[in-house]
Amino acid sequence: EPEVTQTPSHQVTQMGQEVILRCVPISNHLYFYWYRQILGQKVEFLVSFYNNEISEKSEIFDDQFSVERPDGSNFTLKIRSTKLEDSAMYFCASIGLAGEDTQYFGPGTRLTVL
Amino acid sequence: AQKITQTQPGMFVQEKEAVTLDCTYDTSDPSYGLFWYKQPSSGEMIFLIYQGSYDQQNATEGRYSLNFQKARKSANLVISASQLGDSAMYFCAMREGGSASKIIFGSGTRLSIRP
């Protein structure tokens, strides 16, 4: 069964450093998402992406964040200058053509900012 | 106002018993979808079940069923014959509008199954 994959599974970085989290959505999917979950809290929407453009973003997704689909398979989230409060689990998700109902989540990347 | 409310932060259930996890939602959009996800201690989000707002029947997937009461705006998850492996965090979630809309999550219920 096709699945969303994410790398790395765990990233440790120093405050102020740039990180890039990588996702490979399911191959025929068209809509892509990033969510985050701070430890012990609920999952929060960050951004959605379709047709090489951001379609929606939350107030969390400020100028420090950016997303890109650099090729036909990868979908990346970049945090330019990490802060302690960026420590969280980051989930990528994707959904296929209109009419499909379920967003499939990747296994997540645990980001730890020291 | 909270869009998704899960009022049970934690529950303990004896193995093989059925368990109901509560979820209420708030939306004025006539088209919406309701989801339940399971998050084990390893952290991944596992899709369990989906209910569309226009679906006439309650969704079922194996041991999982969704008790959809539209007038009450509730979407409770029922797990029949619970197993030790069901111990996890369970999130109720909703999308408003089309299928590509973002998903909004509740705060979750931690379910612990006793042997």
Side-chain angles (χ1 to χ4, degrees):
Chain A
E1 187 174 318
E3 57 183 19
V4 178
T5 59
Q6 290 185 242
T7 54
S9 57
H10 191 186
Q11 172 111 31
V12 181
T13 189
Q14 294 289 328
M15 191 169 58
Q17 295 295 305
E18 174 183 287
V19 294
I20 297 176
L21 310 182
R22 290 183 168 79
C23 168
V24 179
I26 295 172
S27 64
N28 63 346
H29 281 188
L30 302 175
Y31 300 85
F32 315 113
Y33 309 82
W34 284 101
Y35 294 82
R36 81 170 185 192
Q37 184 184 30
I38 294 171
L39 187 65
Q41 298 185 23
K42 62 181 172 184
V43 179
E44 301 171 292
F45 167 76
L46 290 178
V47 65
S48 58
F49 192 85
Y50 170 72
N51 200 24
N52 282 322
E53 288 184 344
I54 289 174
S55 46
E56 187 177 358
K57 61 183 180 179
S58 71
E59 62 274 8
I60 303 168
F61 194 88
D62 60 21
D63 292 343
Q64 297 286 4
F65 292 88
S66 62
V67 288
E68 193 178 29
R69 189 155 161 82
D71 53 42
S73 60
N74 289 284
F75 179 51
T76 62
L77 174 70
K78 182 192 292 186
I79 309 174
R80 284 191 189 80
S81 177
T82 50
K83 305 180 208 130
L84 296 176
E85 54 265 36
D86 293 328
S87 294
M89 184 78 114
Y90 288 80
F91 293 101
C92 173
S94 68
I95 191 170
L97 297 172
E100 287 194 24
D101 298 311
T102 303
Q103 286 186 23
Y104 292 92
F105 280 71
T109 292
R110 185 170 298 284
L111 176 66
T112 302
V113 182
L114 302 175
Chain B
Q2 294 284 341
K3 291 275 188 177
I4 295 285
T5 302
Q6 295 181 255
T7 56
Q8 305 152 311
M11 287 187 74
F12 288 88
V13 172
Q14 204 67 31
E15 190 181 6
K16 297 179 187 172
E17 287 184 353
V19 56
T20 298
L21 305 182
D22 294 340
C23 173
T24 57
Y25 60 92
D26 181 28
T27 182
S28 56
D29 197 319
S31 175
Y32 54 91
L34 298 158
F35 304 81
W36 279 92
Y37 288 88
K38 173 184 178 181
Q39 187 177 41
S41 56
S42 50
E44 70 266 35
M45 295 293 285
I46 302 168
F47 166 73
L48 296 178
I49 198 166
Y50 168 81
Q51 180 86 41
S53 59
Y54 295 118
D55 293 343
Q56 296 294 316
Q57 296 195 327
N58 287 347
T60 60
E61 290 285 348
R63 292 187 299 114
Y64 305 108
S65 59
L66 198 152
N67 184 2
F68 180 45
Q69 299 196 26
K70 197 168 182 177
R72 289 185 172 185
K73 293 189 175 178
S74 76
N76 298 341
L77 177 70
V78 180
I79 306 174
S80 62
S82 57
Q83 302 170 355
L84 295 178
D86 293 334
S87 294
M89 196 75 167
Y90 288 80
F91 291 97
C92 180
M94 176 178 69
R95 60 144 180 83
E96 295 173 293
S99 55
S101 303
K102 67 178 184 283
I103 292 179
I104 304 161
F105 285 80
S107 55
T109 295
R110 183 167 298 283
L111 178 63
S112 300
I113 307 298
R114 292 195 183 108

